[in-house]
C-alpha cells in the first residue's frame, strides 16, 4: 500500500485510491490496511467517512434515467438504473460489476385488476432471439415478487431465469418497471370467469380483459361466433317446429343467463332414454350452439367422465352460461349406480377449502342451468327431495325422435354457432328488459304453482318459460313459445318429490315382499315383525336396515310418516312395543293401505 499522510486522509486522496480498486478482494484488503494506518495517524471516523464517500461517488456515476430499447418493443418504459436492450436486462453493481436480470428482452405490458377478487395480475412480454416474435404471459403479481416463485413460473415457458442472483435481479427489475411506469403501463379491469359481473356480461362486455387464459383457454376460445347466424337460425327454427324437447333444450340454454337476474336457484334439464338414435346428444348440441362450439367431448360440451372438483371448477368458470354434460353412464360405478351428486352442483357454490396460511381459498359460485343426457334418469327413487326438485327430466323414445336428421343437424351446428347467445344478452342489457323478464317470470311462476308440483319445480319451469318467451320474440320470431301446459308434463308432482310418499310406498312394497317373515314367529326363520289387519309392526332395527339399504334416513322418514299420520307412535319417539313370539320388541307401527290403490280411510293424502 502507498504510504499516506494525515493530509491524504483529510483531503480524501485515500478514499479515491480505495474506491478506484476494481477487484473487491484487493479493495477490502487495502481498506483494512488504510484503517490501521488511520488509527496510527489518529485520523478519526475513517470507516464512516469512507461509506459516505462511496455513496457520493455512486450518485455521481449513476447514469441519467434511461429508456428501454428492445427491438420492436410493445412499450417504451423508463428503466432507471437498468439497461434494457436487445441483449437483455442488466445494471451495474455496487462494486462496479454487471448484474444481469435476463439475457433476452422482457418487460411488463399491462396490469389486470380482478373484478371479483381485486387481485392484481401482470401481463409480461418477452422474446428469445432476433428472429422470434414477442410472446405474452399472464402471471399473478405475487409470483413475480418472489425469487423462488419467479423461477418456477417463468422458466417453464422459456424465460431465461435461474435461482440465485439472477432470479433476485429479475424480481427487482420487474418491480422497478412497475413502479417507474405507473402512467405508462395500462391497468384494466379483468375477470376470471364468464357471465354476469359488476362490469356487464363476459365475454361480451367491452373493456374487460380475461385473466385465466391458461386454466380455461380451450373453454374460453370455444365461446365465439363462427359461421352464419342465418344458417344456425334456420336449423333451430326447423327443430323447434317438430320437437317439443328441442324447444325445451333451447329454452334451458337461454334460461341459464336469467337464473341470477331473476334470483333463482341452479337447476338441471336431463334428457334420458334407453333407445339409441333418439337425438338426445344432438339436441344438447343445439342448445350448446347458442353460445359456443358444440362439438361433443370438446371444451364446452364434455361428458360425465370427470371428478366433482372438475365439474365444480367448470361451473364456476361458466358461472351464468349453461353447462352441458353427455353420457350419464360414464358416471356410474362398477355396481351400476350413478356416482354423481346433483345437489352439489345445484347448490350454486363450491366446497370451502383452506390454504397453507390457514385461511380460505377463493370459493367459486355459479347461477346457471345444467343440461345433461344419459340412458337413465339423473335422480332415483332414493334421492332426497332437494335433488329431485332441482331436475326436470324428459324421456326420449324412438317413436318420438328429438332430432329427425341428427347427422345433418350436427354438421350444421358445428359450422355455425355462438350468435344467438350474444344477441340474447345484448337485448337483455337494454334498459327495462331485466324488469320485463322479472314480470314475465312472476306470471309464469304463479301459473305453474297452480298445478300439483313443488315450488322449486315451478321456479325452474318459470325460468324456462320466461327465457323461451323472450327468445321467441328476440331471436326466433316463429310464434312457438312454450306454454305452462306443454312444460307441465315434465314436472314432478308433490307426491313424487315427497320423502314420505316415496318412503311409504317403498315400505308397503317391502311388507308385501317379506310377508312370510312378518308373522311374529322366529321358528319359521327370520322374523322382521308382524302384520295384523291394516298395520305392519316392523322391528325398529329391521326398519332402520331397510331405510339404510335404500339410502333413506330412518329418523327423517319416521318424522314425515308421523306428521302424515301413517304410523302410530307413543307420546315420545316413533315406536311402541308389540307382543310377538313371546317378546315385546320396539316396533314401527306402520298403517297399510286397504288395497293397492286406496289409502286407509282417514289417512291424509300423500
Amino acid at each position: 500500500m502507498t504510504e499516506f499522510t494525515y493530509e491524504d486522509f483529510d483531503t480524501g486522496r485515500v478514499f479515491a485510491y480505495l474506491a478506484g480498486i476494481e477487484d473487491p478482494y484487493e479493495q477490502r484488503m487495502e481498506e483494512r490496511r488504510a484503517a490501521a494506518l488511520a488509527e496510527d495517524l489518529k485520523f478519526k471516523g475513517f470507516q464512516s467517512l469512507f461509506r459516505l464517500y462511496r455513496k457520493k461517488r455512486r450518485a455521481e456515476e449513476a447514469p441519467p434515467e434511461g429508456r428501454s430499447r428492445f427491438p420492436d418493443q410493445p412499450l417504451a418504459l423508463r428503466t432507471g438504473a437498468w439497461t434494457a436492450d436487445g441483449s437483455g436486462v442488466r445494471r451495474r453493481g455496487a462494486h462496479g460489476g454487471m448484474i444481469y436480470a435476463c439475457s433476452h428482452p422482457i418487460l411488463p405490458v399491462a396490469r389486470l385488476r380482478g373484478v371479483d377478487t381485486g387481485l392484481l395480475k401482470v401481463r409480461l412480454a418477452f422474446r428469445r432471439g432476433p428472429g422470434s416474435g414477442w410472446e405474452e404471459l399472464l402471471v399473478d403479481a405475487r409470483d413475480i415478487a418472489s425469487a423462488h416463485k419467479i423461477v418456477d413460473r417463468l422458466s417453464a415457458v422459456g424465460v431465461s431465469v435461474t435461482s440465485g442472483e439472477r432470479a433476485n435481479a429479475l424480481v427487482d427489475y420487474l418491480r422497478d418497471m412497475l413502479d417507474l411506469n405507473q402512467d405508462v403501463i395500462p391497468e384494466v379491469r379483468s375477470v376470471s370467469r364468464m357471465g354476469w359481473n359488476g362490469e356487464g356480461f363476459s365475454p361480451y362486455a367491452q373493456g374487460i380483459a380475461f385473466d385465466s387464459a391458461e386454466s380455461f383457454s380451450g373453454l374460453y376460445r370455444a365461446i365465439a361466433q363462427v359461421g352464419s347466424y342465418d344458417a344456425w337460425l334456420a336449423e333451430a327454427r326447423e327443430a323447434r317446429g317438430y320437437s317439443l324437447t328441442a324447444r325445451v333444450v333451447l329454452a334451458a340454454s337461454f334460461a341459464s343467463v336469467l337464473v341470477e337476474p331473476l334470483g333463482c336457484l341452479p337447476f338441471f334439464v336431463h334428457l334420458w332414454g334407453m333407445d339409441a338414435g333418439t337425438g338426445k346428444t344432438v339436441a344438447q348440441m343445439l342448445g350448446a350452439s347458442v353460445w359456443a362450439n358444440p362439438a361433443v367431448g370438446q371444451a364446452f360440451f364434455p361428458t360425465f367422465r370427470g371428478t366433482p372438483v372438475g365439474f365444480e371448477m367448470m361451473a364456476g368458470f361458466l358461472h351464468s352460461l349453461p353447462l352441458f354434460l353427455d353420457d350419464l353412464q360414464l358416471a356410474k360405478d362398477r355396481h351400476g349406480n350413478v356416482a354423481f351428486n346433483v345437489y352439489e352442483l345445484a347448490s350454486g357454490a363450491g366446497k370451502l377449502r383452506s390454504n397453507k396460511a390457514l385461511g380460505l381459498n377463493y370459493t367459486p359460485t355459479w347461477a346457471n342451468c345444467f343440461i345433461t343426457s344419459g340412458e337413465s334418469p339423473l335422480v332415483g327413487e332414493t334421492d332426497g327431495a332437494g335433488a329431485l326438485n332441482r331436475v326436470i327430466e324428459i324421456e326420449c323414445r324412438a317413436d318420438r325422435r328429438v332430432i329427425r336428421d341428427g347427422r345433418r343437424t350436427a354438421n350444421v351446428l358445428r359450422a355455425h354457432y355462438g350468435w344467438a347467445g350474444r344477441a340474447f344478452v345484448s337485448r337483455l342489457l337494454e334498459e327495462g328488459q331485466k324488469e320485463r323478464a322479472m314480470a314475465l317470470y312472476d306470471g309464469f311462476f304463479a301459473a305453474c304453482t297452480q298445478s300439483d308440483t313443488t315450488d322449486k319445480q315451478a321456479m325452474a319451469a318459470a325460468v324456462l318459460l320466461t327465457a323461451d318467451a323472450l327468445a321467441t320474440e328476440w331471436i326466433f320470431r316463429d310464434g312457438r313459445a312454450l306454454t305452462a301446459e306443454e312444460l307441465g308434463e315434465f314436472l314432478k308432482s308433490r307426491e313424487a318429490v315427497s320423502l314420505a310418499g316415496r318412503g311409504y310406498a317403498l315400505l308397503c312394497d317391502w311388507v308385501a315382499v317379506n310377508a312370510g317373515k312378518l308373522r311374529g314367529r322366529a321358528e319359521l326363520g327370520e322374523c322382521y315383525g308382524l302384520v295384523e289387519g291394516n298395520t305392519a309392526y316392523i322391528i325398529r332395527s329391521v326398519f332402520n336396515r331397510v331405510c339404510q339399504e335404500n339410502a333413506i334416513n330412518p329418523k327423517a322418514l319416521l318424522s314425515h310418516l308421523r306428521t302424515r299420520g301413517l304410523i302410530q307412535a307413543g307420546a315420545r319417539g316413533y315406536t311402541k312395543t308389540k307382543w310377538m313370539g313371546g317378546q315385546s320388541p320396539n316396533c314401527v307401527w306402520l298403517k297399510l293401505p286397504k288395497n293397492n290403490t286406496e289409502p286407509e280411510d282417514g289417512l291424509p293424502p300423500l
Side-chain angles (χ1 to χ4, degrees):
M1 174 178 174
T2 305
E3 292 297 323
F4 290 106
T5 64
Y6 186 96
E7 183 180 358
D8 294 328
F9 281 94
D10 198 37
T11 59
R13 285 184 59 216
V14 175
F15 302 140
Y17 164 73
L18 294 174
I21 300 174
E22 293 186 1
D23 186 275
Y25 173 77
E26 292 295 335
Q27 185 190 65
R28 181 58 181 157
M29 292 297 294
E30 287 293 271
E31 184 181 340
R32 290 178 67 245
R33 297 186 187 103
L37 179 59
E39 187 175 353
D40 291 341
L41 296 174
K42 295 184 172 26
F43 181 82
K44 297 182 179 179
F46 170 77
Q47 294 290 356
S48 59
L49 288 171
F50 186 42
R51 284 195 296 270
L52 291 173
Y53 179 86
R54 285 188 298 186
K55 184 176 180 180
K56 174 185 176 183
R57 182 161 175 169
R58 283 198 300 268
E60 291 174 347
E61 293 178 353
E65 183 180 81
R67 294 272 179 173
S68 61
R69 299 188 300 276
F70 298 127
D72 302 322
Q73 59 187 8
L75 287 176
L77 301 182
R78 305 182 189 96
T79 57
W82 296 93
T83 298
D85 54 28
S87 60
V89 178
R90 60 204 177 276
R91 66 176 171 82
R92 188 171 296 278
H95 301 294
M98 297 302 295
I99 297 175
Y100 287 88
C102 193
S103 60
H104 57 81
I106 183 170
L107 74 164
V109 293
R111 296 181 178 89
L112 286 78
R113 181 75 63 179
V115 171
D116 295 322
T117 63
L119 298 179
L120 184 69
K121 295 188 178 183
V122 178
R123 180 173 286 120
L124 301 177
F126 67 94
R127 62 184 301 179
R128 290 303 307 261
S132 62
W134 285 94
E135 300 179 55
E136 290 193 350
L137 173 68
L138 191 65
V139 297
D140 289 339
R142 56 193 171 193
D143 287 346
I144 58 173
S146 162
H148 173 69
K149 291 182 178 179
I150 201 170
V151 173
D152 290 342
R153 188 68 182 87
L154 300 190
S155 62
V157 296
V159 174
S160 177
V161 56
T162 57
S163 60
E165 182 178 321
R166 179 167 289 191
N168 288 319
L170 185 56
V171 168
D172 291 342
Y173 161 71
L174 293 176
R175 180 201 60 206
D176 289 346
M177 295 306 97
L178 291 170
D179 290 345
L180 292 171
N181 296 277
Q182 296 278 350
D183 58 333
V184 179
I185 301 173
E187 179 169 319
V188 297
R189 304 285 281 169
S190 66
V191 293
S192 55
R193 60 169 178 80
M194 300 293 95
W196 298 108
N197 54 62
E199 306 294 328
F201 191 97
S202 293
Y204 309 132
Q206 297 296 318
I208 303 296
F210 174 61
D211 63 14
S212 291
E214 292 181 61
S215 302
F216 297 98
S217 58
L219 187 51
Y220 179 71
R221 288 195 299 269
I223 305 169
Q225 293 75 54
V226 172
S228 165
Y229 187 11
D230 290 338
W232 178 88
L233 190 58
E235 193 65 30
R237 281 174 176 162
E238 181 181 345
R240 279 168 57 91
Y242 63 78
S243 174
L244 174 60
T245 301
R247 290 160 62 196
V248 174
V249 171
L250 282 167
S253 189
F254 288 111
S256 188
V257 300
L258 292 177
V259 171
E260 184 173 333
L262 297 180
C264 298
L265 299 170
F267 63 94
F268 283 74
V269 171
H270 180 66
L271 311 182
W272 72 278
M274 295 291 291
D275 297 331
T278 59
K280 300 187 297 294
T281 299
V282 180
Q284 286 181 280
M285 290 181 65
L286 179 60
S289 67
V290 169
W291 307 98
N293 183 350
V296 182
Q298 299 301 310
F300 195 76
F301 189 5
T303 68
F304 273 94
R305 188 176 180 82
T307 65
V309 174
F311 294 137
E312 175 186 307
M313 297 306 295
M314 187 173 180
F317 174 76
L318 292 173
H319 190 74
S320 303
L321 297 179
L323 197 164
F324 293 83
L325 295 171
D326 190 29
D327 286 338
L328 178 61
Q329 51 270 28
L330 294 176
K332 292 184 178 181
D333 60 24
R334 58 193 181 91
H335 300 294
N337 300 316
V338 174
F340 180 80
N341 194 320
V342 167
Y343 208 75
E344 284 184 357
L345 289 180
S347 67
K351 186 180 294 185
L352 290 176
R353 296 180 176 89
S354 64
N355 53 34
K356 293 180 180 179
L358 299 182
L360 292 177
N361 285 329
Y362 171 73
T363 301
T365 60
W366 53 89
N368 58 356
C369 176
F370 299 88
I371 303 173
T372 59
S373 69
E375 294 180 355
S376 60
L378 186 60
V379 287
E381 294 297 322
T382 58
D383 284 298
L388 288 167
N389 262 324
R390 304 294 184 87
V391 181
I392 294 177
E393 294 184 316
I394 303 175
E395 183 179 5
C396 303
R397 302 192 303 269
D399 60 348
R400 192 172 61 183
R401 291 173 59 84
V402 179
I403 300 294
R404 289 175 179 170
D405 189 344
R407 181 176 180 180
R408 183 188 62 80
T409 299
N411 287 336
V412 172
L413 298 177
R414 282 191 288 263
H416 311 283
Y417 56 82
W419 299 97
R422 184 164 192 160
F424 188 84
V425 170
S426 178
R427 291 297 304 268
L428 192 59
L429 287 169
E430 293 177 1
E431 185 177 355
Q433 292 304 328
K434 288 185 181 179
E435 292 75 13
R436 182 178 170 220
M438 180 61 76
L440 285 171
Y441 170 80
D442 290 341
F444 286 127
F445 182 78
C448 291
T449 52
Q450 299 301 314
S451 62
D452 181 29
T453 191
T454 66
D455 284 353
K456 286 187 174 66
Q457 286 272 289
M459 174 211 72
V463 179
L464 291 174
L465 292 169
T466 301
D468 196 61
L470 296 175
T472 299
E473 176 186 341
W474 295 342
I475 307 295
F476 301 113
R477 300 185 179 90
D478 58 1
R480 294 183 178 276
L482 287 169
T483 65
E485 291 74 19
E486 288 176 317
L487 204 54
E489 69 173 280
F490 306 122
L491 304 183
K492 297 178 179 66
S493 66
R494 290 186 176 90
E495 179 179 350
V497 172
S498 166
L499 172 63
R502 291 180 290 122
Y504 179 68
L506 183 147
L507 289 172
C508 290
D509 290 344
W510 180 87
V511 168
V513 171
N514 293 278
K517 298 179 181 180
L518 292 165
R519 296 181 180 180
R521 290 177 293 172
E523 64 267 18
L524 299 177
E526 287 186 285
C527 178
Y528 294 161
L530 175 67
V531 174
E532 287 182 349
N534 286 322
T535 302
Y537 305 95
I538 307 171
I539 298 172
R540 177 62 187 269
S541 61
V542 176
F543 176 89
N544 288 347
R545 188 178 72 240
V546 172
C547 290
Q548 291 165 359
E549 289 173 350
N550 290 277
I552 297 175
N553 184 285
K555 188 173 182 179
L557 178 56
L558 285 171
S559 177
H560 280 287
L561 294 176
R562 186 174 65 178
T563 301
R564 300 289 185 89
L566 295 174
I567 61 172
Q568 296 180 35
R572 297 180 180 179
Y574 305 106
T575 61
K576 296 170 66 176
T577 60
K578 173 64 178 176
W579 181 262
M580 65 179 74
Q583 301 181 55
S584 299
N586 278 326
C587 295
V588 175
W589 291 30
L590 180 70
K591 297 180 181 181
L592 299 174
K594 287 184 177 180
N595 54 51
N596 292 334
T597 58
E598 297 293 334
E600 183 179 349
D601 292 341
L603 294 183
L606 293 175

